[in-house]
């Protein structure tokens, strides 16, 4: 087992920069998730670690070994592909054994390893079948099994769940996490789905346009986003952004609302000399509540706006209101009687709000 | 489910067969005896060269102007297609009244019983207008089965006057001139011809006194004439030192056109292409073979035959056909037009005397070399003869097979092939 | 009586249907016309025109051909052929030439299709790589296919000429021909491509290979492009060699595309008339030496040279049955090598 270190890594496809001067460390036995919208460079990053793409600049280490010029098969890694890439005319057993055979592993050992992996993945009864005869979830397990038998230092997984249906995806999520615990291996996992990132990762690496935006534990990233991109990308429903100006009284004033600030925010306003400036407020949907269910609301802690749509989820209701042309989402009490067409007065938990610079999109708090 | 499919299949079969039945029942419309002023359509299927087709259209326009009630519908086919389609039309329907093509179609049509003697339509006076040697080409069992309009297609000795002024009379002379003139290293060949095609080879066979079939149309290939002819064909390259291995129609043709051959043997159809290519062309009959007569090639005609389906009691149709033949073949000027377009001799005796024929060098060469030919056999059995000669001829000239053995094998092949052609002729014939 | 019965049946049917759709109000009250069962037949009504067309253009000629093979139809019996049972077939089998020709046809087909597939796959694999000027190579390689067969075969005939042909000249000028001769690889020099039947057959095979590989190449190229790259990447991680990747990924992934292409190739090659006839210079009535002929040229000779329609039809039926037997066993073999579904 080993940690993976990436130093000043850049990848260019002709003039297009896919990965831009990236520096990251994935610790030994860590489950790291590379997440970002499509085209952000996360898959390119993974493929460089696997050795499937050449490195333009920079260095990649697995353990202490510089692997830039090491052939893929000698990097001591295993990769799980989005479409599983199982050999079509091999049965499950042979698919899992193929790599070992190429490595001249003794037969009894291969047999032992394959059966062990099959047992872990609960596919022992499928060993004689061909990929064609398996369901998507079963193929996924075989692909994982093929990686496991190699007993690699690092597992690389490229959107392994995106070909599965929603229910199976949730199930496999937990299985992969369990697998990680059991194998005690380093895993680098690529996905565009922030839910997968949040639920599975020890460490999330969020990328955009080939640049790492933020690295951290899921809850850290959620609670303390570095910038508006991370704030908007992580969390579902996404964070709401509202434009506001900071008044002399240190309130946040928009067209139809004025919000009070906490001491923490005031200190930042003073330190950064923000009075009179325009900023962006970030409010997570769960920090907005139907004021009917909140008692003793101080002044200037609510926003009143027209309700566009309501989506009852059972455990809560998503209320979409129009604030100065921005559709703002609120997760309110399920017993709320707010309905589309009506007016809603929403309570804002000002302890939880974020403030971003309007131009740099960087976070103040 | 399967039952339903079957049921639908059965229904569609019934529909199809009843449609076919309907067509068959109504395919033979009994032509009623109509007054003579009724319009008549003559359907002609032909296999003409493009130039001749143009002449046909012009003559047709003149004809229809003169006889407004008669319409001619002409359809063009390639050689093989004409034969096959015409045969098929005889059992299906929609065939023509007149079929035009080379005389060797006659034997096939006759055997298949799909044409009738032209004497049912035209008079003896009309036939007297046509040259006897041309008419003879379409004659089987003492009856005329075709009205020929052009005559020729014969192979002759062609020479490039840039190298030789006068045609040699004998093969020995030819070899002497050819070997003296040729410069093989620089691609000038003394003598070339299509050495694997029986149509050329029979010129030698005939020249040694052979005849491919007897009066009963049985093959007569295993004889001295054949052995001599095969030996001669073999010796051309091996002994006489002229010609070149692998020479065939295309190489011979190309070499002569480019001025790279002194003497060649080729047919009347090709001659204009050489004068067009700027060759100073000389034409002569085949030279005298060593120990034999002149190479004697076949001449054949092309002409019109009348479908068996033409009803002789249909006065309108018969009259129209008479007028058609009178106009297209019986009129010297029109016949000459076809002859010139085809670069072959006219068959109308009066046409032979016309200025445009007399003053045409190629026409005169054609007419004079025809004198040195024999009519090509046209009975269906001929196909079996060609089929037998070709592989044995190739075996002799390419693989050194003994000519005597080849002649015997040829005879056997021909007999077998002819037996298949003659298979089960209905007894009433 | 009858109508009442019908009504009962129809109501029964509808009731069953209705109960399935959980809608008891939908019971048809005694309409004589059974709408639902009529609806069941309606699709077949729409199919009927297609059925008729297929019967007309496919079944009828096939049946007619088979019927012809049982008659003595030929020039002499053209208008009134007689049913003679299987005599045509007996006559074919009595003739040793049939077996010889069949054997030659099998060699012809196997050699041609094998080379078509091998060359086609090899070139497709090359063209599927990153290659400078790939588009131009591809165009050049498709040319044999784009050229009319007749013209291509005529051109090859010109090239095979023993004295003037490009191939003969090339073999001569490079000295390769002489080397081959002294090495004993060829038994004649210069090679009499067109005049020796055995060489003519070889020449025809070369020509037909040249004509046929672009089709396979295009088919395979299409198939290769549909194989996701990740298969090869996964194999790279496993440490597979190029050959192992070809054997374990390319070939099995191409199989569903190659199998029908091979079937087509076999049928086309088995029935390839043009190339041999043209090379032999016997288009339009003539006929080359038997030693270079295949079954279908014999059909042509009997049918269109001698007009033995009955006999030629019997030959055609045999060709049909041979191909049918091959196709059935080939498809079975292919299915056998695939997983059981």
């Amino acid at each position: 087992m080993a940690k993976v270190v990436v130093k000043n890594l850049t990848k260019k496809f002709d003039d297009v920069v896919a990965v831009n001067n990236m520096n990251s460390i994935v610790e030994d036995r860590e489950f790291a998730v590379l997440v970002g919208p499509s085209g952000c460079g996360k898959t390119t990053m993974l493929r460089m670690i696997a050795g499937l793409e050449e490195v333009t600049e920079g260095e990649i280490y697995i353990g202490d070994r510089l692997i830039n010029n090491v052939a893929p098969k000698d990097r001591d890694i295993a990769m799980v592909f989005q479409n599983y890439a199982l050999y079509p005319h091999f049965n499950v057993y042979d698919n899992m054994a193929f790599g070992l055979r190429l490595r001249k592993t003794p037969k009894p050992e291969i047999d032992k390893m394959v059966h062990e992996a099959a047992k872990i993945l609960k596919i022992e009864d499928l060993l004689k079948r061909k990929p064609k005869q398996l369901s998507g979830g079963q193929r996924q397990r075989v692909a994982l099994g093929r990686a496991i038998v190699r007993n690699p230092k690092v597992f690389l997984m490229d959107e392994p769940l995106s070909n599965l249906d929603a229910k199976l995806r949730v199930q496999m999520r937990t299985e992969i996490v369990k697998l990680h615990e059991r194998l005690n291996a380093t895993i680098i996992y690529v996905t565009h789905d922030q839910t997968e990132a949040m639920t599975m990762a020890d460490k999330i690496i969020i990328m955009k346009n080939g640049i790492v935006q933020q690295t951290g534990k899921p809850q850290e990233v959620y609670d303390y986003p570095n910038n508006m991109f991370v704030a908007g990308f992580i969390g579902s429903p996404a964070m709401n952004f509202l434009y506001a100006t900071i008044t002399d009284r240190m309130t946040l004033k928009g067209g139809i609302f004025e919000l009070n600030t906490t001491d923490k925010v005031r200190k930042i306003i003073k330190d950064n000399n923000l009075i009179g400036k325009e900023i962006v407020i970030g409010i997570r949907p769960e920090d907005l509540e139907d004021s009917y269910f909140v008692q003793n609301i101080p002044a200037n802690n609510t926003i009143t706006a027209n309700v566009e749509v309501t989506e009852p989820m059972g455990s809560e209701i998503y209320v979409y209101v129009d604030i100065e042309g921005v559709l703002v989402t609120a997760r309110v009490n399920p017993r709320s009687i707010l309905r589309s067409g009506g007016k809603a007065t929403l309570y804002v938990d000002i302890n939880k709000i974020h403030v971003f610079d309007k131009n740099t999109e960087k976070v103040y708090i | 489910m399967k039952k339903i499919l079957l049921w639908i299949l059965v229904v569609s079969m019934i529909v199809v067969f009843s449609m076919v039945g309907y067509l068959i029942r109504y395919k033979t419309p009994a032509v009623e005896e109509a007054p003579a002023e009724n319009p008549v359509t003559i359907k002609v299927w032909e296999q003409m060269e493009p130039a001749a087709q143009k002449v046909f259209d012009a003559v047709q326009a003149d004809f229809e102007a003169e006889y407004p009630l008669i319409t001619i519908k002409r359809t063009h086919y390639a050689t093989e297609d004409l034969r096959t389609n015409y045969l098929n039309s005889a059992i299906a329907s929609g065939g023509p009244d007149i079929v035009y093509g080379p005389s060797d179609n006659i034997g096939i049509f006759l055997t298949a019983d799909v044409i009738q003697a032209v004497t049912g339509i035209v008079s003896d006076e009309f036939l007297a207008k046509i040259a006897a040697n041309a008419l003879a080409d379409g004659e089987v069992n003492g009856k005329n089965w075709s009205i020929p309009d052009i005559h020729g297609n014969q192979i002759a000795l062609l020479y490039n006057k840039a190298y030789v002024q006068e045609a040699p009379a004998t093969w020995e002379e030819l070899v002497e001139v050819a070997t003296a003139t040729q410069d093989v290293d620089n691609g000038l060949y003394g003598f070339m011809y299509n050495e694997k095609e029986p149509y050329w080879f029979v010129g030698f066979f005939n020249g040694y006194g052979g005849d491919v079939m007897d009066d009963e149309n049985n093959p007569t290939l295993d004889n001295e004439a054949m052995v001599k002819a095969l030996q001669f064909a073999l010796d051309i390259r091996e002994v006489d030192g002229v010609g070149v291995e692998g020479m065939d129609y295309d190489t011979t043709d190309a070499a002569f056109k480019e001025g790279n051959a002194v003497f060649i043997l080729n047919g009347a159809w090709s001659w204009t292409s050489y004068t067009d290519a700027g060759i100073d062309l000389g034409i002569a009959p085949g030279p005298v073979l060593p120990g034999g007569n002149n190479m004697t090639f076949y001449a054949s005609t092309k002409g019109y035959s009348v479908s068996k389906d033409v009803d002789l009691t249909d006065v309108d149709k018969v009259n129209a056909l008479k007028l058609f033949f009178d106009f297209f073949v019986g009129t010297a000027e029109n016949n000459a037009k076809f002859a010139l377009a085809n670069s072959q001799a006219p068959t109308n005796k009066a046409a032979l005397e016309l200025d445009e024929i007399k003053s045409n060098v190629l026409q005169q060469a054609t007419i004079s070399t025809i004198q040195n030919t024999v009519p090509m056999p046209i009975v269906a059995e001929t196909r079996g003869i060609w089929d037998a000669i070709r592989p044995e001829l190739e075996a002799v000239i390419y693989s050194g097979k003994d000519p005597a053995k080849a002649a015997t094998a040829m005879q056997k092949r021909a007999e077998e092939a002819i037996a298949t052609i003659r298979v089960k002729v209905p007894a009433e014939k | 009586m009858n109508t009442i019965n019908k009504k009962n049946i129809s109501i029964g049917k509808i009731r069953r249907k209705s109960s399935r759709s959980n809608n008891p109000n939908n019971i048809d009250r005694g309409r004589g016309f059974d709408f639902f069962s009529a609806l069941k037949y309606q699709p077949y009504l729409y199919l009927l025109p297609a059925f008729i067309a297929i019967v007309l253009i496919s079944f009828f000629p096939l049946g007619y051909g088979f019927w012809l093979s049982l008659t003595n139809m030929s020039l002499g019996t053209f208008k009134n052929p007689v049913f003679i049972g299987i005599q045509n077939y007996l006559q074919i089998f009595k003739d040793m030439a049939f077996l010889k020709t069949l054997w030659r046809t099998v060699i012809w087909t196997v050699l041609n299709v094998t080379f078509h597939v091998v060359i086609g796959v090899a070139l497709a694999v090359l063209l599927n790589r990153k290659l400078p000027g790939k588009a131009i190579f591809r165009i050049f390689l498709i040319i044999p296919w784009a050229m009319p067969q007749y013209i291509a075969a005529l051109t090859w005939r010109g090239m095979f000429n023993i004295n003037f042909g490009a191939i003969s000249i090339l073999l001569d000028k490079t000295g390769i021909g002489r080397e081959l001769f002294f090495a004993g690889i060829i038994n004649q020099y210069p090679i009499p491509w067109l005049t020796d039947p055995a060489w003519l057959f070889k020449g025809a095979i070369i020509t037909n290979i040249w004509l046929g590989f672009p089709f396979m190449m295009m088919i395979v190229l299409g198939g290769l492009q549909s194989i996701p790259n990740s298969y090869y990447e996964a194999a790279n991680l496993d440490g597979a060699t190029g050959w192992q990747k070809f054997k374990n990924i390319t070939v099995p992934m191409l199989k569903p595309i190659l199998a029908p292409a091979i079937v087509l190739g076999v049928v086309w090659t088995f029935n390839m008339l043009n190339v041999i006839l043209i090379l032999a210079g016997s288009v339009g009535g003539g006929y080359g030496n038997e030693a270079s002929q295949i079954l279908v040229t014999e059909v042509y000779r009997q049918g269109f040279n001698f007009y033995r329609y009955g006999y030629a039809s019997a030959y055609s039926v045999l060709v049909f049955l041979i191909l049918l037997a091959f196709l059935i066993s080939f498809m079975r073999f292919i299915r056998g090598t695939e997983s059981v579904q």
Side-chain angles (χ1 to χ4, degrees):
Chain A
M1 303 297 156
K3 70 176 179 179
V4 178
V5 180
V6 165
K7 277 191 190 159
N8 305 324
L9 193 66
T10 297
K11 173 72 189 177
K12 287 180 192 166
F13 293 104
D14 296 327
D15 289 338
V16 181
V17 181
V19 174
N20 194 351
N21 197 25
M22 178 162 169
N23 287 286
S24 272
I25 297 175
V26 177
E27 298 293 344
D28 185 18
R29 299 175 189 194
E30 196 168 38
F31 195 127
V33 174
L34 274 167
V35 67
S38 60
C40 72
K42 57 190 189 296
T43 296
T44 309
M45 176 64 219
L46 192 76
R47 289 167 60 81
M48 280 193 285
I49 297 173
L52 300 174
E53 295 291 353
E54 260 179 66
V55 173
T56 310
E57 267 171 52
E59 291 156 359
I60 303 173
Y61 295 89
I62 293 179
D64 296 326
R65 187 159 69 128
L66 177 68
I67 53 144
N68 281 30
N69 295 319
V70 177
K73 68 183 169 84
D74 299 325
R75 292 190 178 194
D76 213 351
I77 48 151
M79 186 155 168
V80 179
F81 291 86
Q82 184 176 347
N83 62 358
Y84 321 131
L86 301 175
Y87 300 108
H89 71 312
F90 282 172
N91 63 23
V92 169
Y93 183 97
D94 291 332
N95 257 293
M96 287 163 70
F98 188 60
L100 296 175
R101 281 186 192 142
L102 291 179
R103 265 155 229 266
K104 309 249 155 62
T105 314
K107 250 193 180 162
E109 207 169 315
I110 293 178
D111 205 51
K112 206 181 109 202
M113 291 165 94
V114 170
H115 277 104
E116 228 163 72
K119 203 170 160 191
I120 295 172
L121 292 161
K122 303 185 193 91
I123 51 172
E124 285 164 296
D125 50 338
L126 304 178
L127 287 176
K128 288 268 172 329
R129 297 217 195 151
K130 295 245 173 103
K132 252 191 180 175
Q133 297 161 281
L134 303 176
S135 69
Q138 288 168 333
R139 280 182 218 183
Q140 178 61 69
R141 286 166 198 270
V142 177
L144 284 171
R146 187 167 64 171
I148 291 171
V149 292
R150 302 266 307 275
N151 196 18
K153 284 185 184 157
V154 181
F155 284 93
L156 305 173
M157 301 189 184
D158 186 8
E159 309 231 8
L161 304 184
S162 61
N163 280 9
L164 302 179
D165 62 59
K167 204 172 162 190
L168 206 52
R169 208 179 301 161
V170 174
Q171 189 192 331
M172 283 306 290
R173 236 154 53 191
T174 50
E175 293 216 17
I176 290 177
V177 171
K178 271 196 241 160
L179 196 65
H180 174 235
E181 280 160 12
R182 177 162 186 166
L183 295 171
N184 243 335
T186 311
I187 295 182
I188 303 177
Y189 183 108
V190 161
T191 181
H192 64 272
D193 180 349
Q194 63 90 26
T195 316
E196 278 178 27
M198 289 298 287
T199 51
M200 300 169 84
D202 295 331
K203 178 191 275 173
I204 293 183
I205 301 167
I206 301 157
M207 291 182 75
K208 182 194 168 195
N209 295 338
I211 296 171
V212 175
Q213 305 290 315
Q214 189 168 358
T215 306
K217 291 200 167 91
Q219 201 58 42
E220 262 173 40
V221 175
Y222 186 83
D223 289 341
Y224 306 106
N226 271 348
N227 55 35
M228 277 173 71
F229 172 76
V230 174
F233 190 78
I234 299 290
S236 175
M239 185 186 279
N240 302 298
F241 295 112
L242 293 168
Y243 288 102
T245 312
I246 297 175
T247 62
D248 299 347
R249 289 167 287 126
M250 297 230 184
T251 59
L252 309 171
K253 187 169 172 27
I256 59 163
F257 64 88
E258 183 164 4
L259 294 176
N260 277 342
T261 47
T262 57
D263 292 346
K264 236 164 58 185
V265 175
R266 287 178 197 200
K267 186 170 180 296
I268 283 163
I269 292 170
K270 267 184 208 152
D271 290 353
N272 291 289
N273 202 10
L274 292 175
I275 291 178
K277 285 207 174 142
E278 268 194 58
I279 46 92
V280 178
I281 314 171
I283 311 171
R284 294 224 179 257
E286 63 266 33
D287 300 332
L288 291 168
E289 177 59 281
D290 185 350
S291 56
Y292 178 81
F293 297 98
V294 187
Q295 285 164 3
N296 305 325
I297 302 172
N300 281 350
N301 265 23
T302 58
I303 301 174
T304 302
N306 289 325
V307 178
E308 294 289 316
V309 185
T310 58
E311 287 180 353
M313 309 297 282
S315 61
E316 60 199 359
I317 297 175
Y318 292 175
V319 176
Y320 298 92
V321 299
D322 180 355
I323 301 176
E324 293 161 13
V326 179
L327 205 60
V328 168
T329 316
R331 292 168 65 173
V332 304
N333 193 297
R335 282 174 297 281
S336 165
I337 52 161
L338 294 175
R339 287 294 174 265
S340 54
K343 284 232 176 222
T345 302
L346 296 171
Y347 162 77
V348 182
D349 185 351
I350 56 167
N351 291 307
K352 302 264 183 71
I353 64 173
H354 300 271
V355 177
F356 301 96
D357 186 290
K358 195 184 158 196
N359 296 319
T360 63
E361 301 194 347
K362 287 239 166 72
V363 76
Y364 289 115
I365 183 166
Chain B
M1 184 61 123
K2 271 194 180 154
K3 258 187 190 165
I4 292 163
L5 283 172
L6 203 72
W7 183 78
I8 284 176
L9 208 67
V10 168
V11 168
S12 46
M13 288 286 224
I14 291 168
V15 170
V16 167
F17 288 127
S18 51
M19 272 163 57
V20 171
Y22 177 87
L23 288 175
I24 289 170
R25 196 136 55 90
Y26 287 87
K27 101 177 179 182
T28 42
V31 181
E32 278 122 57
E33 288 180 31
E37 57 263 23
N38 271 5
V40 179
T41 301
I42 301 176
K43 272 168 81 181
V44 183
W45 285 8
E46 49 80 8
Q47 180 262 314
M48 287 184 180
E49 302 297 319
Q53 290 178 49
K54 273 187 202 157
V55 170
F56 191 101
D57 288 339
V59 175
Q60 175 184 347
D62 294 346
F63 178 81
E64 285 172 348
E66 195 158 342
Y67 308 106
L69 284 176
I70 306 175
T71 315
I72 298 172
K73 253 181 85 183
R74 175 177 77 86
T75 312
H76 176 77
Y77 288 98
T79 317
E80 292 288 317
D81 290 345
L82 178 79
R83 258 201 298 267
T84 311
N85 284 320
Y86 182 66
L87 283 174
N88 292 345
S89 78
I91 21 176
S93 65
D97 303 306
I98 299 175
V99 56
Y100 176 92
S103 56
D104 56 346
N105 282 350
I106 293 171
I108 290 159
F109 294 159
L110 200 54
T111 314
D113 195 25
V114 293
I115 54 173
Q116 55 179 307
V118 294
T119 38
I121 307 278
V122 294
S123 60
D124 287 346
E125 291 109 68
F126 173 84
L127 290 179
K129 288 185 189 172
I130 295 172
N133 58 357
L135 211 51
D137 192 39
E139 200 180 302
V140 179
N141 303 333
K143 281 184 187 168
N144 289 98
W145 301 92
S146 132
I147 296 171
D149 77 331
I150 54 171
H151 191 197
N153 231 30
Q154 77 279 24
I155 291 164
L157 178 68
L158 311 183
Y159 54 99
N160 187 334
K161 286 186 181 165
Y163 303 113
V164 226
Q165 284 314 307
E166 223 170 293
T170 68
W171 176 251
E172 288 85 351
E173 282 173 48
L174 185 149
V175 169
E176 198 177 312
V177 176
T179 45
T181 319
Q182 74 182 4
D183 183 359
V184 176
D185 290 339
N186 290 315
L188 175 63
Y189 294 93
F191 173 77
M192 286 178 83
Y193 79 115
N194 188 0
E195 66 177 351
K196 59 189 196 178
E197 200 54 63
Y199 194 67
W200 274 255
F201 171 75
V202 285
F204 311 154
F205 179 57
N206 292 337
Y208 281 114
D211 191 353
V212 292
M213 282 180 286
D214 63 16
D215 293 342
E216 258 90 57
N217 299 330
N218 294 314
T220 48
L221 300 174
D222 188 11
N223 49 36
E224 207 194 328
M226 179 56 77
V227 177
K228 276 186 184 166
L230 287 170
Q231 188 64 49
F232 173 74
L234 179 62
D235 287 349
I236 291 176
R237 277 189 280 110
E238 306 284 320
V239 177
D240 300 329
V242 292
V244 53
E245 191 180 354
M247 57 189 173
D248 58 9
Y249 189 87
D250 295 331
T251 47
T252 302
D253 185 58
F256 196 67
K257 261 187 197 143
E258 287 158 18
N260 291 333
V262 181
F263 295 104
I264 67 165
L265 298 174
N266 209 353
W269 61 85
S270 68
W271 299 349
T272 30
S273 73
Y274 299 135
T275 52
D276 288 350
I279 299 295
D280 192 357
L281 180 67
I283 302 170
V288 176
L289 292 158
N293 301 320
N294 280 78
M295 295 178 187
T296 312
F297 297 100
Y298 284 143
S300 62
T301 59
K302 270 180 155 188
Y304 301 94
S305 296
V306 179
S307 165
K308 185 106 182 178
D309 285 344
V310 169
D311 185 359
L312 290 181
T313 61
D314 179 356
V315 182
D316 282 344
K317 180 62 72 70
V318 171
N319 278 337
L321 290 177
K322 262 184 203 160
L323 292 171
F324 175 86
F325 290 132
D326 258 333
F327 201 84
F328 276 72
V329 186
T331 310
E333 287 74 17
N334 287 339
N335 184 233
K337 283 181 199 162
F338 280 102
L340 288 167
N342 282 296
S343 300
Q344 301 207 26
T347 56
N348 188 310
K349 285 177 194 161
L352 285 164
E353 304 303 322
L354 288 174
D355 273 352
E356 57 258 46
I357 301 294
K358 289 233 148 180
S359 65
N360 187 309
V361 182
L362 280 180
Q363 281 290 330
Q364 290 310 304
T366 307
I367 293 163
S368 75
T369 48
I370 284 176
Q371 305 312 316
N372 193 42
T373 62
V374 290
M376 186 172 77
I378 57 171
V379 290
E381 284 86 343
T382 319
R383 311 209 117 208
I385 300 286
W386 299 142
D387 203 59
I389 292 178
R390 191 179 160 126
E392 295 301 328
L393 171 63
E394 286 188 7
V396 170
I397 59 174
Y398 295 136
S399 315
K401 187 168 183 175
D402 177 49
K405 279 184 188 152
T408 312
M410 236 182 237
Q411 176 72 16
K412 191 166 162 271
R413 277 173 192 270
E415 280 166 6
E416 283 169 8
I418 285 172
T420 69
I421 290 167
R422 284 177 176 168
V423 74
K424 303 261 165 122
V425 180
E428 68 263 23
K429 283 233 109 181
Chain C
M1 190 63 200
N2 210 2
T3 47
I4 293 169
N5 263 344
K6 259 189 194 159
K7 263 180 215 167
N8 286 346
I9 289 166
S10 75
I11 290 172
K13 265 188 186 166
I14 289 161
R15 202 171 270 146
R16 235 179 291 134
K17 208 166 178 101
S18 308
S19 64
R20 218 183 296 144
S21 61
N22 275 334
N23 188 358
N25 297 330
N26 200 17
I27 296 170
D28 187 341
R29 296 189 199 283
R31 256 195 292 159
F33 176 68
D34 185 341
F35 180 70
F36 286 102
S37 50
L39 205 64
K40 236 168 66 189
Y41 292 100
Q42 203 183 7
Y44 298 102
L45 216 63
Y46 294 125
L47 287 176
L48 197 63
F51 266 112
I52 292 174
I54 287 171
V55 166
L56 263 178
I57 64 177
S58 192
F59 290 117
F60 179 69
L62 210 64
Y64 187 68
F66 183 67
W67 179 78
L68 271 188
S69 76
L70 301 175
T71 70
N72 68 347
M73 189 178 194
S74 68
L75 265 190
T77 58
F78 201 73
K79 280 183 162 175
N80 40 5
V82 178
F83 180 84
I84 55 166
I86 56 166
Q87 275 188 41
N88 284 327
Y89 294 93
L90 291 179
Q91 210 177 336
I92 291 171
F93 286 123
K94 246 188 343 207
D95 195 353
M96 276 304 289
F98 172 76
L99 284 180
K100 267 194 209 159
T101 312
L102 174 61
W103 177 235
R104 198 177 302 114
T105 312
V106 170
I107 291 175
W108 160 262
T109 310
V110 168
L111 278 179
N112 268 307
V113 177
T114 306
F115 276 104
H116 287 163
V117 172
V118 169
I119 296 174
V121 170
L123 288 174
V125 168
L126 281 179
L127 281 182
N128 199 35
R129 294 187 176 182
K130 278 180 194 152
L131 208 68
K134 193 160 87 172
I136 293 169
F137 282 123
R138 197 162 46 202
I139 289 169
F140 274 117
L141 288 169
I142 294 171
I143 282 178
W145 193 36
M147 194 184 279
Q149 271 180 9
Y150 190 91
I151 291 167
L154 275 180
T155 309
W156 274 93
R157 191 172 122 205
M159 293 202 296
F160 277 131
N161 185 290
I162 190 165
N163 279 299
F164 318 106
I167 292 172
S168 304
I169 290 172
L170 208 67
L171 286 176
D172 186 44
K173 290 269 151 87
T174 56
I176 291 172
R178 219 153 303 158
E179 292 302 321
L180 290 176
F181 181 65
F182 288 130
I185 295 167
I186 55 175
N187 56 1
Q188 273 162 301
Y189 183 77
I191 300 171
W193 291 105
L194 299 178
T195 52
D196 181 282
W199 279 107
L200 181 70
F201 189 58
K202 288 170 200 159
I205 289 174
I206 292 173
T207 306
N208 199 48
I209 288 171
W210 185 84
L211 275 170
F213 78 81
F215 171 76
M216 288 293 175
M217 186 187 81
M218 290 315 290
I219 295 271
V220 172
L221 196 55
L224 286 177
Q225 278 162 358
S226 71
I227 302 177
N229 212 21
S230 55
Y231 284 91
Y232 295 100
E233 290 174 343
N236 281 343
L237 293 174
D238 275 341
T241 61
W243 170 248
Q244 281 165 333
K245 280 186 270 184
F246 179 75
K247 197 180 86 185
N248 295 316
I249 301 170
T250 311
V251 171
M253 297 288 273
L254 279 182
K255 212 164 66 177
I257 293 161
L258 259 183
I262 289 175
V263 165
L264 275 179
V266 166
V267 173
W268 286 342
T269 310
F270 202 89
N271 287 335
M272 173 56 75
L273 185 72
N274 301 358
V275 169
I276 291 180
L277 281 191
I278 292 169
L279 275 199
S282 49
V283 173
Y287 178 69
N289 198 299
E290 281 98 339
S292 55
Q293 303 297 308
I294 58 174
L295 283 179
V296 69
T297 53
E298 184 64 17
V299 174
Y300 178 83
R301 176 188 183 221
Q302 293 294 343
F304 298 103
N305 216 6
F306 294 157
Y307 294 98
R308 296 174 75 189
Y309 282 15
Y311 189 76
S313 298
Y315 246 96
S316 303
V317 170
L318 287 177
V319 168
F320 174 75
L321 291 178
I322 290 166
L323 282 177
L324 194 68
F326 161 75
L327 292 185
I328 289 172
S329 47
F330 181 75
M331 292 320 282
R332 242 184 227 160
F333 168 73
I334 286 294
R335 228 171 284 150
T337 58
E338 250 159 42
S339 54
V340 201
Q341 286 282 30

